[in-house]
């Protein structure tokens, strides 16, 4: 006998989301209204890791920085896909192992392509 999925079964989840969002908004409103409001010259100046600001913030940044950041996110997200496979490793059997080898081979080919194109070189 299969369990039926009824809208009533989702009420606890909806209630928990409402309570969580209510807590967030209440906390933000309370800290904004009740917190001290002392604006000084030091608080209003830009601050970057204890280093004095030099120059304009609108200076162009090398595209390599963004490329490396996007590649990091891409490969980081791909690793996340390995966790469900690791949890269900025994249930998937040899088919799951072959599929993971194909997945990892594709990742490896992408990584080799990135290395060959020298996308991670800063020069």
């Amino acid at each position: 006998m299969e369990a039926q999925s009824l809208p009533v079964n989702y009420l606890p989840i909806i209630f928990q989301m409402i309570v969580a969002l209510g807590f967030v908004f209440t906390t933000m409103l309370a800290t904004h209204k009740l917190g001290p409001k002392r604006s000084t010259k030091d608080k209003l100046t830009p601050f970057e890791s204890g280093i004095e600001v030099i120059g304009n913030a609108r200076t162009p940044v090398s595209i390599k920085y963004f490329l490396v950041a996007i590649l990091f996110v891409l490969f980081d997200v791909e690793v996340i896909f390995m966790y469900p496979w690791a949890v269900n490793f025994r249930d998937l059997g040899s088919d799951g192992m072959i599929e993971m080898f194909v997945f990892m081979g594709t990742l490896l080919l992408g990584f080799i392509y990135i290395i060959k194109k020298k996308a991670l070189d800063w020069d």
Side-chain angles (χ1 to χ4, degrees):
M1 182 173 201
E2 291 185 31
Q4 291 182 339
S5 178
L6 299 173
V8 175
N9 296 340
Y10 293 103
L11 282 177
I13 296 171
I14 294 170
F15 180 70
Q16 184 176 7
M17 289 177 70
I18 290 171
V19 168
L21 289 173
F23 175 75
V24 168
F25 287 124
T26 304
T27 305
M28 289 177 66
L29 184 68
T31 56
H32 182 69
K33 294 294 181 188
L34 300 176
K37 295 168 187 63
R38 286 177 253 152
S39 296
T40 62
K41 182 182 177 219
D42 289 336
K43 285 186 180 181
L44 296 176
T45 57
F47 179 77
E48 182 69 30
S49 302
I51 300 170
E52 289 293 325
V53 179
I54 300 172
N56 188 359
R58 306 224 187 304
T59 56
V61 179
S62 173
I63 193 70
K64 290 285 186 177
Y65 173 78
F66 298 107
L67 181 63
V68 170
I70 289 171
L71 290 173
F72 171 75
V73 170
L74 176 73
F75 282 102
D76 194 42
V77 168
E78 297 301 328
V79 169
I80 291 171
F81 288 127
M82 293 180 191
Y83 284 110
W85 172 79
V87 170
N88 297 316
F89 174 70
R90 292 182 191 212
D91 297 337
L92 296 174
S94 61
D95 289 339
M97 179 66 91
I98 292 169
E99 289 174 7
M100 184 50 70
F101 281 143
V102 169
F103 179 73
M104 299 226 2
T106 306
L107 281 179
L108 184 62
L109 284 175
F111 189 67
I112 291 170
Y113 176 78
I114 288 169
I115 297 296
K116 294 275 187 193
K117 288 289 185 176
K118 299 186 180 191
L120 298 177
D121 291 344
W122 286 99
D123 297 331

